[in-house]
Amino acid sequence: MKHLVVVAHPAEDSFTLGLVRTYTDELERLGHTQRTCDLYRVGFNPALSAHELMPVSAGHPACADVAQAQDEIRAADVLTVFYPLWWMSMPAMMKGYVDRVFARGFAYESSQGIVHGLLGGKKALMVTCSGAPLPLLVKSGNWNAVQVLQDTHVFRSAGFELIEHLHFDEIVPSLPEAVAAQHMERIRACARQHF
């Protein structure tokens, strides 16, 4: 299978980027091909312009970086996204990627308020991290909000089959090495389970 891995974290030595490296190494060990798009390292521009609100047409092509990102999604069987939850949402860099790349006519169409996803036949996997414990997020209702907005409204609405939303909680700067190692095994196991 062909995998596109998109990650948004500003620190190259972050736990999130460590998960990405472990996951992609496991995919390759399993015989899959993957391309990683590290939004911060490639300098992706997350700002949606007024020009991009216009429908894409022969006389109004997509911006080059968006067209390339859309081609990468078209070529992939699986899209995996990695990002930390900040204020219970994706970082601005990832939100900008979604705003610009998951455009009308590419990721969805809508009529009379009903959205029809155009990326059916593709799988998606979400991997998120938070400092807060997951049981606290569930109890407060915040986790439900994440699932409705990000899992359902973004990825499922675009037509993806969301195969899992894997969340790593209590990720703090002083994370013990043994706990980090257990998490790295979880991400390897996730790759083996699904692919």
Side-chain angles (χ1 to χ4, degrees):
M1 296 179 90
K2 294 179 182 176
H3 296 257
L4 174 62
V5 177
V6 180
V7 58
H9 197 290
E12 199 165 356
D13 63 348
S14 66
F15 176 79
T16 301
L17 268 290
L19 284 175
V20 169
R21 288 186 286 274
T22 301
Y23 177 75
T24 56
D25 287 350
E26 188 67 16
L27 288 177
E28 290 176 358
R29 193 188 69 71
L30 293 168
H32 298 271
T33 60
Q34 66 84 25
R35 167 160 166 43
T36 299
C37 177
D38 182 337
L39 297 174
Y40 280 91
R41 258 48 71 198
V42 300
F44 184 81
N45 177 5
L48 179 70
S49 69
H51 166 83
E52 292 173 297
L53 293 175
M54 302 295 294
V56 174
S57 64
H60 185 80
C63 296
D65 60 340
V66 169
Q68 178 183 339
Q70 291 173 343
D71 286 345
E72 290 170 350
I73 291 173
R74 279 188 197 98
D77 300 306
V78 181
L79 170 67
T80 304
V81 294
F82 285 79
Y83 56 89
L85 291 177
W86 292 337
W87 296 102
M88 296 314 301
S89 188
M90 55 185 67
M93 185 67 83
M94 183 65 78
K95 179 65 166 68
Y97 176 89
V98 170
D99 287 348
R100 295 185 67 216
V101 176
F102 285 31
R104 179 188 299 266
F106 170 72
Y108 74 96
E109 285 294 349
S110 67
S111 175
Q112 298 178 339
I114 299 172
V115 174
H116 172 70
L118 300 177
L119 297 173
K122 295 186 180 297
K123 297 179 186 300
L125 176 67
M126 294 175 61
V127 182
T128 55
C129 303
S130 69
L134 185 56
L136 180 63
L137 300 178
V138 170
K139 184 177 181 181
S140 68
N142 287 330
W143 188 247
N144 183 59
V146 167
Q147 290 177 310
V148 169
L149 179 60
Q150 296 170 49
D151 299 18
T152 300
H153 188 68
V154 174
F155 294 96
R156 288 192 178 110
S157 291
F160 287 104
E161 175 193 345
L162 183 61
I163 56 177
E164 185 173 358
H165 181 163
L166 182 60
H167 184 71
F168 294 87
D169 64 346
E170 299 187 69
I171 304 304
V172 294
S174 58
L175 188 68
E177 285 185 30
V179 174
Q182 290 172 352
H183 290 330
M184 295 306 161
E185 182 48 41
R186 276 184 69 203
I187 197 70
R188 280 191 287 272
C190 176
R192 290 191 301 267
Q193 176 188 349
H194 296 297
F195 311 116

